Amino acid sequence: MATGEVMAGKSDNTNVDVKSTDAAPVTVRAHGLSKSFGALKAVNNIELTITAGEIFGLVGPDGAGKTTIMRMLAGVLSPDAGNIEVDGVDVIADPEQAKLHLSYMPQRFGLYEDLTVAENIFFYGELFSVSRADRLARSQELLKAAGLADFQKRLAGQLSGGMKQKLGLICALIHTPRVLLLDEPTTGVDPVSRREFWGILYNLRESGVTIILSTAYMDEAERCSRLALLHAGEIRYCDTPARLKATMPGVLLAIISANPRALREALTGQTGILGVLLMGDRVHVRVDDPAQRIPEIRASLANHHVDITLIEQVVPGIEDVFVALLDTEKVT
Amino acid sequence: MFDRLYVMLMKEFLELKRDRWAMFRLIVPMIIQMLVFGYAATFTVYHVKTAILDLDHSQASRSLISHFVATSHFDVVDVATTQSAITRDIDHDEAVIAIVIHAGFNQDLENGRSAPLQVIVDGTNSNTALIALGYISQIVTQFSASQVSTLPFRGKPSISLQGISLQYQPWFNEGLNDRWFFIPGVIGTLTLMQVVSLTAFAIVREREVGTLEQIMVSPIRPYEFILGKTIPFFLIGLGDIALVVAFGILWFHIPFVGNPWIMLLGASLFLLAALGMGLLLSTFSQTQQQAFALNFFFVNPFFILSGFAFPIAAMPKLLQWFTVINPLRYFLVVIRAVFLKGVGLAVLWPDMLALTLLALVMLTISVLRFRKSLD
């Protein structure tokens, strides 16, 4: 496989081979990765090729295998089959060497709550054999970026949730990893901290760090350079957010109604309607041909006595795309 | 590797220092339990509440009663006159023992006949009852000897008494002082409980908080982590043993006639086995609650099946087999021998060898299991 080429998901899936735009070096490569827990196939034959400077997003429902993939890439969980290469090092053969190049931040970063912010950073720095000078310089820089510079003497246990998560990120970055693995890093983090968090991630990407993150937030998914859609332990789709949107079959309509549930009932199963998705006060309806279907929808809703205030064609969000792609998959 | 081990140790001691109650929790319970055991754990029975029913009202019966009153083992709480009073005393827990001197007691003695004496014991506490019965038979033997020796003076034909006179000479603990037996045992038992639970809890806590996973994504090797986690508890365990040994010697005046280096060797091997046990428990627990339940499940049988109080030789064969894998069993032999007997490796080598093997096996199993439990 050539550098920059991407293969993901089942090898027989034709719409997953996409040329990456830049020719940056590959930093993470996983081939035929599988892991079962008892009878459950948590991860099934995954292929990943991720290049330096990417922010690669893993998205999928709970139990899709996101955390399992992360842990295998981090070298803390051994796969049943397949191989992983991180920054040129075979993770399975030499996990200790690979771990020097990567950093893994689980959903909840393990901090020593009875140690101070500075002591936690010191501890994780020493574990990675970071020199004293490097550690001091880097921690000052990271603490400043995270807005934690004034809290160095505070016990980690006395920090707020967002601050803890940022401290976790600092500890994870203290050894200047080439690859950063983040498992739902901003779950339960306030919007301001989330912004700062992403600010740090963008800076890292600038400096050539590869970032792989899983997220449940669709707005975060949109910020990724590429996304892998996971379902039941397999990568179903893998592409840039823009191209994923383009691959979505059909056209998306947004309908505003006082009674979105009745609206969904009325339209589900109707000819030409590919999918109906509740999005708060509005309903996203995917149709094959808007010119033909919009009048049909109006007529059908009038029949069912569902009043609507607006019907318009909209650009799909990542959530629409994923629901649509997974729906299509189920039908075929 | 020493860099990472060093930083692990530094972190452990920093956390210990940060924990203001740590020193209190490590030392005070040991001392208090030692005191409680030292004073409360004894097989000697004093002040057994005793009721006496004297139906003979003779010089002999009064003399016998005075023998009971004279000893501190018995407190005569009631000299009753009816059988029903005795029954009531025992039913209401006012007396544990009732002695019934039947009418004709004096007469029988005067005539050189065997005089029956009835003793009723509340068997609810079989241990106390058994020990008290022993004292009673001693007192009665003394009494009957004194009766026989006074017979000739009362114009009765002398009965020549010939028998075996028992002379006992207990070694190592001449006064057969229970405390000398218990305190060394308590030291071993408390250390086992302390070290196993400390180790198990400390590791499970790291698992629960997520720091274990975090450390494992660093280039640290599992054995470095395990060493970093166990060395502090090894040192704490040694400190604890030294503390309670000193306490036993200085406070309870238990003689320490053996070689302190033999003690150190035995204690070190024992601690390694205990650390292995703690580590093993931690691999079976995801939460501290589970660790607590497991610890409770294991430590108590280890205590009971150690020979601390109940002789191993008297146990059913199956349980005797179990004691073979109990490090406390061997350490109790070592600590008692070093304290009281002063014997050396020439005698203790089988126990030392058993401790070494147990430590090796437990540590190996737990390290292997620990690696697996990380997945």
Side-chain angles (χ1 to χ4, degrees), chain A residues 71 76-78 96 99-100 104 106 108-112 114-115 119 122-124 126-128 155, chain B residues 4 7 10-11 14-15 18 205-206 208-211 213-221 374-375:
Chain A
R71 297 189 69 218
V76 283
L77 184 69
S78 37
E96 273 80 22
K99 283 169 185 173
L100 279 173
Y104 168 55
R108 201 176 43 141
F109 189 92
L111 293 168
Y112 289 97
D114 44 4
L115 299 187
E119 285 162 352
F122 169 81
F123 175 68
Y124 283 109
E126 286 291 310
L127 276 187
F128 285 94
L155 292 181
Chain B
R4 285 189 294 260
V7 72
M10 219 173 111
K11 183 223 43 155
L14 193 58
E15 281 193 285
R18 198 59 44 85
R205 200 175 72 132
E206 295 237 11
E208 217 174 32
V209 178
T211 45
E213 171 124 319
Q214 209 62 59
I215 287 179
M216 284 308 149
V217 293
S218 81
I220 201 169
R221 288 175 171 81
L374 292 174
D375 265 16

Side-chain angles (χ1 to χ4, degrees), chain B residues 41-105:
Chain B
T42 170
F43 288 135
T44 318
V45 174
Y46 288 104
H47 305 293
V48 181
K49 291 177 286 183
T50 309
I52 298 182
L53 173 60
D54 184 1
L55 299 172
D56 195 44
H57 301 291
S58 62
Q59 192 202 338
S61 71
R62 277 191 295 276
S63 165
L64 178 63
I65 293 171
S66 73
H67 272 78
F68 280 94
V69 175
T71 154
S72 61
H73 290 302
F74 298 97
D75 279 352
V76 177
V77 291
D78 186 17
V79 179
T81 49
T82 61
Q83 182 79 41
S84 62
I86 293 285
T87 312
R88 203 195 61 84
D89 282 345
I90 293 206
D91 282 351
H92 289 77
D93 266 350
E94 273 155 30
V96 177
I97 282 185
I99 296 166
V100 183
I101 307 169
H102 290 286
F105 182 74

Side-chain angles (χ1 to χ4, degrees), chain A residues 267-284:
Chain A
L267 294 182
T268 305
Q270 203 169 306
T271 331
I273 306 281
L274 303 172
V276 185
L277 186 64
L278 287 181
M279 302 283 276
D281 66 331
R282 52 178 60 201
V283 181
H284 281 183

Side-chain angles (χ1 to χ4, degrees), chain A residues 28-284:
Chain A
V28 176
R29 195 195 300 272
H31 173 68
L33 208 56
S34 295
K35 179 77 187 178
S36 298
F37 297 108
L40 175 78
K41 274 198 167 170
V43 169
N44 190 17
N45 202 22
I46 294 272
E47 307 280 332
L48 283 173
T49 306
I50 302 166
T51 55
E54 272 200 271
I55 298 185
F56 188 90
L58 292 173
V59 195
D62 282 345
K66 302 189 292 279
T67 300
T68 309
I69 293 176
M70 288 280 188
R71 297 189 69 218
M72 287 193 287
L73 294 180
V76 283
L77 184 69
S78 37
D80 296 338
N83 52 59
I84 307 165
E85 210 177 274
V86 168
D87 219 23
V89 181
D90 185 335
V91 174
I92 296 154
D94 192 358
E96 273 80 22
Q97 185 60 30
K99 283 169 185 173
L100 279 173
H101 298 264
L102 58 81
S103 189
Y104 168 55
M105 191 172 154
Q107 283 167 8
R108 201 176 43 141
F109 189 92
L111 293 168
Y112 289 97
E113 305 221 323
D114 44 4
L115 299 187
T116 64
V117 168
E119 285 162 352
N120 270 288
I121 297 173
F122 169 81
F123 175 68
Y124 283 109
E126 286 291 310
L127 276 187
F128 285 94
S129 314
V130 179
S131 77
R132 186 183 139 82
D134 283 356
R135 191 186 71 238
L136 289 177
R138 187 141 175 90
S139 71
Q140 287 317 312
E141 174 197 329
L142 288 166
L143 281 165
K144 229 169 116 192
L148 286 175
D150 296 335
F151 296 94
Q152 296 187 52
K153 292 242 163 79
R154 189 178 288 196
L155 292 181
Q158 289 167 1
L159 297 176
S160 71
M163 287 163 114
K164 275 184 191 165
Q165 210 60 4
K166 283 186 288 181
L167 174 57
L169 187 61
I170 294 173
C171 293
L173 294 174
I174 193 70
H175 63 288
T176 324
R178 303 273 305 129
V179 175
L180 179 60
L181 304 165
L182 304 166
D183 194 358
E184 300 200 8
T186 57
T187 302
V189 170
D190 68 274
V192 177
S193 291
R194 241 172 99 185
R195 261 190 115 71
E196 285 169 338
F197 200 96
W198 272 91
I200 299 172
L201 294 192
Y202 284 136
N203 284 341
L204 287 169
R205 188 178 62 172
E206 299 282 292
S207 59
V209 174
T210 308
I211 300 168
I212 303 177
L213 69 90
S214 71
T215 182
Y217 295 115
M218 288 304 148
D219 59 321
E220 286 193 349
E222 303 249 11
R223 297 183 184 193
C224 295
S225 57
R226 273 195 306 145
L227 288 172
L229 169 58
L230 281 159
H231 185 70
E234 292 175 2
I235 295 181
R236 294 300 165 87
Y237 296 93
C238 179
D239 211 329
T240 63
R243 269 187 278 197
L244 280 173
K245 286 176 189 170
T247 56
M248 186 188 82
V251 171
L252 197 70
L253 303 175
I255 307 177
I256 299 182
S257 163
N259 194 349
R261 282 172 189 282
L263 193 155
R264 181 175 61 175
E265 302 255 306
L267 294 182
T268 305
Q270 203 169 306
T271 331
I273 306 281
L274 303 172
V276 185
L277 186 64
L278 287 181
M279 302 283 276
D281 66 331
R282 52 178 60 201
V283 181
H284 281 183

